[in-house]
Amino acid sequence: MPSASHNLVPATPAAIERAAAVLRAGGLVAFPTETVYGLGANALNPAAVRKIFAAKDRPDWDPLIVHVSGPPMAQRLTTQALPTELMARFWPGPLTLVVRKAPCVPDEVTARRETVALRMPRHPVAQALLAAAQVPIAAPSANRFGRPSPTRAEHVVADLGEQVDLILDAGPTELGVESTVLDLTQSPPVILRPGGVTREQLGDLRVAGGVADEVAAQGLVGPGMTLRHYAPRAPLEVFETEAALKARAAQLQGRRIGVLKPTAQNLYAELRRLDAEGVERILCVLPPAEGIGLAVRDRLLRAAGRQLS
Ligand code: TXA
Ligand code: MG
């Protein structure tokens, strides 16, 4: 595997300017957000967006999130009036809004859907990049499709290496799990993916009669929310209690087992670390389905190849 670290640079103001030029020229830039690292291209350039899918091995039916510099840029990408209250409270931050797309948004970004996912990141490097590039940035997580999301620049190098023109390194990300995806084309809005903004935070905001809890009610329905997503190479087994995990560990005595103690911040890095150690199996107790724990549970159940229930 190529180490390809020549394209890995600290996210200095000069490097951010260079990255903006790469984006405007139709290239790929990996950059930090407060959740995970993203693999970005100019969202208004279909050829550039296609490069994202090729680099990640991402199926073309899985739509991308478009990152914006703020509500005015977001409003140009949708025919829907964006909810000012929701944006004022959660933007910039880990809340992605799914809305009806404007004609200027290419089919490549939305996987030919009539809707587009919009998010204003709060990481200063992501914000500086958007300000310098002056274009909306389509960016999924910067991992190979199906692998744990990258929370450090080195994870991007390991998964994508040479396929990215420039990787901006700003150290480990703050939250460690992806943004919450909220579908505003349905009434009440539906959480398609739990994430950095919690269900509790959304719940006390009375938007269109509250937020439907699709996640807990029916399992996730969003495109790309496939089973065995975010997965380590070693099989992952999840348990509700410490006692259940211990009983299983006893059965597996003599085998190379890794026990994962997940927090949102360390989840993906730990999955990668245990893989690198070459453990045969990873065991983990699920956190309670509260706050950010809901997102961590969701990713663990997916990594284990199980439906959220
Ligand atoms: O925190 C995050 O959201 C990170 C950082 C980089 O911003 N991005 C991220 O992107 O997690 P990605 O591609 O790994 O996940 C985006 C998910 C898609 O898999 C899909 O389920 C959902 O967002 N999505 C995107 N566009 C959608 C649409 N039009 N309708 C429904 N869901 C959509
Ligand atoms: Mg992803």
Side-chain angles (χ1 to χ4, degrees), residues 15 46 74 95 99 161 167 223 229 236 252 282 305:
L95 180 67
V99 289
I167 301 170
H229 209 122
L236 171 71
L252 293 169
I282 302 170

Side-chain angles (χ1 to χ4, degrees), residues 26-295:
L28 294 183
V29 171
F31 62 97
T33 79
E34 69 277 23
T35 58
V36 300
Y37 277 74
L39 178 64
N42 176 355
L44 302 177
N45 178 339
V49 172
R50 282 196 291 271
K51 289 185 193 171
I52 294 176
F53 287 87
K56 283 193 56 139
D57 267 333
R58 186 181 174 103
D60 63 3
W61 45 258
D62 194 1
L64 306 179
I65 293 173
V66 179
H67 297 70
V68 295
S69 55
M73 184 184 273
Q75 193 60 71
R76 288 195 287 275
L77 302 173
T78 175
T79 55
Q80 224 170 305
L82 287 171
T84 46
E85 203 190 335
L86 205 58
M87 290 188 299
R89 172 112 180 243
F90 296 108
W91 279 13
L95 180 67
T96 295
L97 303 176
V98 173
V99 289
R100 282 194 304 277
K101 82 175 194 77
C104 66
V105 180
D107 283 341
E108 281 80 357
V109 170
T110 64
R112 288 168 295 281
R113 289 169 175 263
E114 285 308 307
T115 55
V116 62
L118 303 174
R119 142 161 155 79
M120 179 189 181
R122 72 163 177 243
H123 195 293
V125 171
Q127 292 189 347
L129 184 61
L130 281 157
Q134 297 271 303
V135 292
I137 302 175
S141 50
N143 52 288
R144 191 164 289 284
F145 188 71
R147 294 276 299 146
S149 293
T151 54
R152 316 184 66 114
E154 298 78 40
H155 300 159
V156 182
V157 175
D159 274 17
L160 302 175
E162 302 274 357
Q163 290 164 289
V164 188
D165 295 305
L166 201 58
I167 301 170
L168 295 174
D169 185 354
T173 59
E174 172 199 340
L175 292 172
V177 290
E178 299 87 342
S179 63
T180 300
V181 179
L182 185 66
D183 185 354
L184 293 181
T185 68
Q186 307 188 49
S187 185
V190 170
I191 298 173
L192 298 179
R193 177 177 73 181
V197 167
T198 64
R199 177 171 66 184
E200 292 85 347
Q201 284 175 300
L202 289 172
D204 58 56
L205 198 87
R206 300 256 68 92
V207 273
V211 170
D213 196 356
E214 197 71 24
V215 174
Q218 293 153 38
L220 294 183
V221 291
M225 305 287 178
T226 46
L227 290 181
R228 275 284 307 156
H229 209 122
Y230 314 100
R233 293 191 179 91
L236 171 71
E237 296 184 21
V238 292
F239 304 89
E240 289 291 353
T241 64
E242 195 70 44
L245 182 146
K246 285 211 170 95
R248 179 66 177 142
Q251 284 178 350
L252 293 169
Q253 205 159 31
R255 309 273 292 273
R256 295 200 58 188
I257 292 171
V259 175
L260 172 64
K261 302 224 188 281
T263 63
Q265 222 278 323
N266 76 7
L267 171 67
Y268 292 133
E270 284 294 290
L271 288 173
R272 283 173 183 264
R273 186 182 62 77
L274 289 165
D275 263 349
E277 277 184 10
V279 299
E280 287 172 55
R281 219 168 272 260
I282 302 170
L283 307 187
C284 176
V285 176
L286 294 167
E290 298 159 8
I292 196 88
L294 183 67

